[in-house]
Amino acid sequence: MYFCTFKKQHNTMNNDKTIKSALISVFSKEGLEPIVKKLQDLNVTIYSTGGTEKFIKDLGIDVIPVEDVTSYPSILGGRVKTLHPKVFGGILNRQNNESDLNELKEFNIPQIDLVIVDLYPFENTVASGASHQDIIEKIDIGGISLIRAAAKNYADVVCVSSVEDYSEFLELLETKNGETSEEDRKRFATKAFNVSSHYDSAIFNYFNSDTEVASLKISETQGKVLRYGENPHQGGFFFGKFDDMFTKLHGKELSYNNLLDVDAAVTLMNEFKGESPTFAILKHNNACGLAQRDTVKAAYLDALAGDPVSAFGGILISNTEIDKATAEEIHNLFCEVVIAPSYSEEALDILKGKKNRILLILHDIELPKTTVRSCLNGILVQDRDNKTDTLEDLKEVTHTTPSQDELDDLIFASKICKHTKSNTIVLAKNKQLCASGTGQTSRVDALNQAIHKAHSFKFDLNGAVMASDAFFPFPDCVEIAHKAGITAVIQPGGSIKDQLSIDYCNDNNIAMVFTGTRHFKH
């Protein structure tokens, strides 16, 4: 038989309270044992349900089944266990409210000072590829309700809402012998609402993947404080599961700007996944060097030749394993980050020779389907640009037909152009980036910048190709390109004055193809 007892709370001027009773209902039992044993040492009355109750009993610790409190068994296959007024009344009562306390006595409701919950693993179940029905069954109802109730009543109740908080709570028990301040309880309540809001966002996003309700729910609980933001006077944070994408092997902590450049490098190199060895060097989110060759060493050296000045302090990325020979060349360059799917042991030994150089292994995972950025007093969301121009997309619009080598270079240049800040022009030859004009307000300026840069690094542009992220409304760019030696052009097309550029190309034996797809990048 269950007897309801009421124990006077220890109150001080700062609203400290001593834990006398606890409700524990968790999915994962990991890390729970030392907490339960400490609660036993402190003579805390423990209530529990189902598997958690059995776990506690198996430890030889007294536990009161919730069924003894509610006079109801667990029903509907375990879907309903704690959803009862005698449970939630025990959590939500205001311990300084005489009416509340009288109702507890009237209805024989136990006062509960501590709630420990670990929710059903909804996100992990989705990630595992489980069936829809299995995923639905991992939507926690009782647990999430307990968390909200306990966190709401933090003035009197401690809410421990995740396995990740067990160690902090155990330390609190050990240092204060079961006593908590209002500041302690509010801190755990904040953590609890973080857990509950994230959990609900994950459920919504799972359902919304099919229905596409125009609502944005972003929740990341794994936040990391960065040294600073874009500049030293700005704070910076990264929220995300970095370790799912990378294994960090060596080097200092990544900065805000490092992360932006790494993102740009990864999205660019995705265009060359599974192709011949390809190496890119990026600076300020743009490729300053990129080449595709028979070996990774040759690809690196030709990427570096594209702009050895800008490569200083850049981000390096390869689509294939970095070997010893390549590492020896890279080691001569000061660079912030090196990214590759793998490294030979000899390569790692060499690259670790600079203590601050960040070495990352890139895992083969799918990037998010949407991109998000702040804008004005709101947020812009769009589908990721997953369209890659292929030979099948090309429409020949000039009398001159591009050669096979030119076609290969046009696709190569188009991939780089897609990931370069607009307005941009990309010049390439023999699957090597010769130069690009980036982020210019005029397409003519972008082209002139690219030509000047290519010449400054001794590139011969005769027979090179040109890629543009948008159409040419006038023939000025194809005329400038022709005079520089460019023999083939790739662009989306779509200007009402396309024919002017086509006519110039026809008159000067330049091949031009349209992709039909614009790749602006602002």
Side-chain angles (χ1 to χ4, degrees), residues 15-158:
N15 206 21
D16 286 355
K17 293 182 179 292
T18 301
I19 297 169
K20 295 296 184 181
S21 58
L23 171 61
I24 306 176
S25 180
V26 300
F27 178 84
S28 173
K29 316 303 186 291
E30 182 181 351
L32 185 61
E33 180 177 345
I35 291 177
V36 175
K37 288 182 175 179
K38 185 62 181 178
L39 292 175
Q40 181 190 40
D41 292 343
L42 295 171
N43 296 317
V44 173
T45 301
I46 300 175
Y47 305 95
S48 192
T49 64
T52 308
E53 177 193 340
K54 181 180 183 303
F55 175 82
I56 296 171
K57 282 183 177 178
D58 289 345
L59 293 174
I61 295 173
D62 291 338
V63 57
I64 299 172
V66 166
E67 290 93 329
D68 289 0
V69 178
T70 64
S71 298
Y72 268 90
S74 173
I75 62 173
L76 306 182
R79 281 189 165 197
V80 180
K81 296 189 286 286
T82 57
L83 296 169
H84 194 280
K86 284 196 173 182
V87 174
F88 282 85
I91 297 170
L92 285 166
N93 72 90
R94 293 157 291 188
Q95 295 176 17
N96 62 352
N97 184 298
E98 185 176 352
S99 176
D100 284 5
L101 296 179
N102 288 335
E103 288 189 57
L104 293 187
K105 293 178 182 178
E106 179 182 356
F107 296 108
N108 203 31
I109 299 173
Q111 188 169 280
I112 297 172
D113 309 315
L114 165 66
V115 172
I116 301 177
V117 175
D118 176 57
L119 298 171
Y120 291 161
F122 178 82
E123 286 184 281
N124 289 343
T125 305
V126 173
S128 73
S131 68
H132 177 69
Q133 188 54 46
D134 286 342
I135 290 170
I136 294 301
E137 290 304 317
K138 287 298 184 289
I139 297 177
D140 205 310
I141 303 301
I144 203 78
S145 301
L146 291 171
I147 286 174
R148 290 177 63 84
K152 174 179 178 176
N153 202 27
Y154 75 88
D156 296 310
V157 180
V158 185

Side-chain angles (χ1 to χ4, degrees), residues 318-484:
S318 169
N319 71 342
T320 191
E321 180 172 284
I322 292 179
D323 56 19
K324 177 183 177 182
T326 309
E328 288 174 339
E329 297 292 343
I330 293 173
H331 195 57
N332 295 322
L333 174 72
F334 167 70
C335 57
E336 291 275 355
V337 184
V338 183
I339 310 166
S342 60
Y343 303 80
S344 71
E345 289 187 14
E346 297 89 347
L348 277 179
D349 288 341
I350 294 167
L351 294 174
K352 287 180 178 180
K354 299 287 179 66
K355 67 176 183 178
N356 287 329
R357 181 185 287 146
I358 300 165
L359 303 179
L360 301 176
I361 290 179
L362 174 62
H363 303 158
D364 186 14
I365 70 168
E366 185 177 352
L367 292 171
K369 295 179 181 179
T370 56
T371 63
V372 181
R373 65 191 296 183
S374 61
C375 179
L376 301 176
N377 62 344
I379 295 171
L380 286 172
V381 181
Q382 67 171 348
D383 294 335
R384 185 176 291 276
D385 185 358
N386 287 326
K387 169 64 178 173
T388 298
D389 299 327
T390 66
L391 292 174
E392 290 73 23
D393 297 319
L394 304 187
K395 177 184 177 183
E396 296 180 10
V397 296
T398 54
H399 300 324
T400 301
T401 298
S403 67
Q404 186 58 53
D405 287 343
E406 286 175 329
L407 285 171
D408 290 343
D409 280 344
L410 288 169
I411 294 297
F412 176 85
S414 172
K415 291 178 179 180
I416 302 171
C417 190
K418 171 184 169 182
H419 295 276
T420 308
K421 294 289 185 181
S422 300
N423 286 317
T424 186
I425 293 289
V426 169
L427 306 180
K429 183 178 179 180
N430 299 328
K431 293 189 177 179
Q432 180 183 21
L433 173 62
C434 299
S436 57
T438 63
Q440 300 302 304
T441 54
S442 160
R443 203 157 302 280
V444 171
D445 287 346
L447 175 55
N448 284 328
Q449 181 191 62
I451 292 172
H452 173 77
K453 187 174 180 180
H455 286 162
S456 70
F457 291 114
K458 311 303 180 185
F459 279 99
D460 179 5
L461 294 179
N462 287 299
V465 305
M466 173 174 72
S468 172
D469 60 340
F471 55 67
F472 297 121
F474 304 102
D476 44 11
C477 280
V478 289
E479 181 178 356
I480 295 169
H482 170 240
K483 291 178 180 178

